[in-house]
Amino acid sequence: MTAAASPDPFPAATPDTISELPGRAMAREMAEQPAVLRRILSEGAPAIQDVARRIAARAPRFVLLTARGTSDNAALYAKYLLEIRLGLPCGLTSMSTTTAYGARPDLTDVLVVTVSQSGGSPDLVASTRAAREAGAITLAVTNNPDSPLAGVSEHHIDIMAGPEEALPATKTYTASLLALYLFVEGLRGGDGAPAQVLPDRAEQLLARQGEVRTLAARYRFAERMVITSRGYGYPTAKEAALKLMETSYIPALAYSGADLLHGPLAMVDNVSPVIAVVTDGKGGEALQPVLDRLRGRGADLVVIGPGRQVEQASAGFVMPTGDVAEEVQPVLEIIPLQLLAYEVTIAMGQDPDAPRALAKVTETH
C-alpha cells in the first residue's frame, strides 16, 4: 500500500520564499519522519541485527548509556528497553568522571552505548575512547558513520536520518528511538515486528497538525509548563520539554509522575499548563494517581494519550495506540509534541530553525 505524502505545512510557499519562511527546515524534517522510519526498517534493520548478534555473543553483564541533550533522552528510552525487555541493569554515565577527573573504572564485559546525532562532541568521543581502553564493549549510535565517535567505537549503528538542517533535532530523535528498539530486540532474539506499524501511524499524526495548532493557542502566553509521564513515556516528557525550551524559550519542567508528587506538585495551579504523556499500557496505569491529583488541584491538564484519558482532561491529543505496543509508542508520542513546540514558536513570532545561542555540534569537553 502506498502511503499518502505528508502535508506541506506551507502550501502557499514558492521557491523564492521558502528560504525566508521561519521554521521551514524544522517543518520539512518533521515531515520526513515516516520516510526515515521506513528506511530504517527496510534498509537498516539487517545491519542493526548483525551488530546486536555480535554484542549478544559477548554477554555483557551491565550497560552504560552515554549521551547529551536530545540523544540523552533517546538513551533514557534505551535504558527502559534494556531493563524491561532484557533484565539488564543499566546506568547513565557521568562523562566528567573520566573526561574531567580522569577516573578509569574497570569496564570489562560492560556494554557502553554512546548516542549522538553528529558523533562529533569531544566529550562523547573522549569518554567512549576511555571506556574502550577500560575494557568496555563500545557501540556508537549516530547519524554520521564517518564521525569521530564512530571511529573510536568498536561497533556502530547508523540511524539513517539524512542531513538535518534545523537546530532542533526531530527526525534524528525518532530515528534513534527506532534504531535502539531494533538493537534491543536483536539482543533478545526478537524480530522487531511491533515497529512495522510506526511509519503509517507517524504519517497519520503529521496530518493532524491543525489539531496541534489549536492546542498551541493555549500556550502562546504561558510563563512555564510542566510535562509529566511514567515508564516508557518519561523520555518523551523530557524530550518535549527540551524542544519547547530550545524553540520557544518557555521554561518547561519535565518530571516523572512519581517525582512530581514528591514536592513539585506544589507549584501546579490552574494557570500554568501541565502536559501529561499517557502511554497506553503499564506506564499510563502508573500515572493514573498523578492525573487524579492534578485534576483535583484544578490544573490546566492536557493529555497526549488514549481517548479515554483525553476525555477527562482540559484538552488533549488522542494517540492512535490501539495496535501499537507500549514499548514503541514513544516513537509516535513525541511527534505531536514536536509539532506543538513548532506551532507555539511560530505563534510567538520566532524562528524554530535557529534557536539563539545553539549550535548543531555542542563542543563540551
Side-chain angles (χ1 to χ4, degrees):
M1 181 175 66
T2 302
S6 299
D8 187 343
F10 297 107
T14 67
D16 292 333
T17 62
I18 281 175
S19 62
E20 300 173 4
L21 289 167
R24 180 64 184 183
M26 184 177 177
R28 181 174 58 248
E29 287 163 3
M30 287 189 295
E32 289 174 8
Q33 289 176 108
V36 171
L37 298 176
R38 288 192 180 96
R39 182 158 63 243
I40 295 169
L41 290 169
S42 63
E43 301 175 25
I48 294 173
Q49 289 182 337
D50 180 60
V51 169
R53 280 193 298 268
R54 284 186 279 142
I55 290 176
R58 297 174 64 177
R61 59 183 172 86
F62 191 86
V63 182
L64 286 172
L65 296 147
T66 305
R68 296 283 193 201
T70 284
S71 294
D72 197 36
N73 299 327
L76 180 58
Y77 168 68
K79 184 177 189 294
Y80 277 91
L81 287 172
L82 287 158
E83 292 185 344
I84 296 170
R85 307 285 287 172
L86 268 71
L88 266 178
C90 299
L92 301 177
T93 60
S94 299
M95 281 175 276
S96 62
T97 61
T98 56
T99 60
Y101 291 93
R104 292 295 183 265
D106 180 4
L107 298 180
T108 305
D109 297 328
V110 173
L111 171 61
V112 172
V113 181
T114 307
V115 186
S116 171
Q117 172 197 339
S118 67
S121 184
D123 60 344
L124 293 171
V125 175
S127 177
T128 302
R129 182 186 293 112
R132 190 170 182 180
E133 292 171 352
I137 307 161
T138 52
L139 167 65
V141 180
T142 81
N143 195 37
N144 183 2
D146 298 321
S147 63
L149 178 60
V152 301
S153 300
E154 184 179 356
H155 303 280
H156 178 257
I157 288 175
D158 183 359
I159 66 171
M160 305 179 73
E164 192 167 53
E165 297 176 10
L167 284 177
T170 54
K171 64 180 182 176
T172 51
Y173 179 69
T174 49
S176 295
L177 296 188
L178 178 54
L180 287 163
Y181 168 75
L182 293 175
F183 170 67
V184 173
E185 284 300 287
L187 288 177
R188 64 191 294 268
D191 60 5
Q196 295 299 323
V197 302
L198 296 177
D200 287 347
R201 295 296 172 272
E203 215 154 47
Q204 293 165 9
L205 290 171
L206 288 162
R208 296 166 59 191
Q209 186 166 358
E211 294 178 47
V212 179
R213 189 172 295 127
T214 300
L215 276 180
R218 301 172 66 92
Y219 304 129
R220 182 176 178 181
F221 301 107
E223 294 184 1
R224 69 165 185 257
M225 297 185 195
V226 174
I227 307 176
T228 188
S229 189
R230 290 203 70 181
Y232 285 116
Y234 181 44
T236 305
K238 289 175 66 67
E239 174 61 11
L242 177 59
K243 283 291 154 287
L244 284 160
M245 287 189 288
E246 69 183 355
T247 57
S248 69
Y249 318 137
I250 296 173
L253 308 173
Y255 293 100
S256 158
D259 289 332
L260 185 62
L261 297 182
H262 285 268
L265 185 67
M267 71 178 174
V268 173
D269 53 31
N270 61 358
V271 177
S272 300
V274 178
I275 300 174
V277 181
V278 185
T279 302
D280 194 3
K282 293 182 178 179
E285 293 170 8
L287 190 63
Q288 188 60 52
V290 182
L291 300 176
D292 294 339
R293 290 284 298 276
L294 289 168
R295 282 192 291 266
R297 291 185 62 82
D300 178 9
L301 177 62
V302 175
V303 165
I304 309 297
R308 63 185 181 276
Q309 295 287 354
V310 173
E311 290 171 2
Q312 301 176 50
S314 306
F317 185 96
V318 177
M319 294 295 298
T321 55
D323 61 346
V324 183
E326 181 180 7
E327 61 266 22
V328 295
Q329 288 177 33
V331 180
L332 302 177
E333 288 168 343
I334 192 58
I335 291 175
L337 292 161
Q338 292 172 344
L339 292 170
L340 180 65
Y342 169 86
E343 291 291 349
V344 168
T345 306
I346 293 294
M348 294 171 68
Q350 296 163 184
D351 185 358
D353 281 349
R356 63 193 181 206
L358 293 184
K360 203 62 176 169
V361 179
T362 303
E363 297 285 340
T364 48
H365 294 271

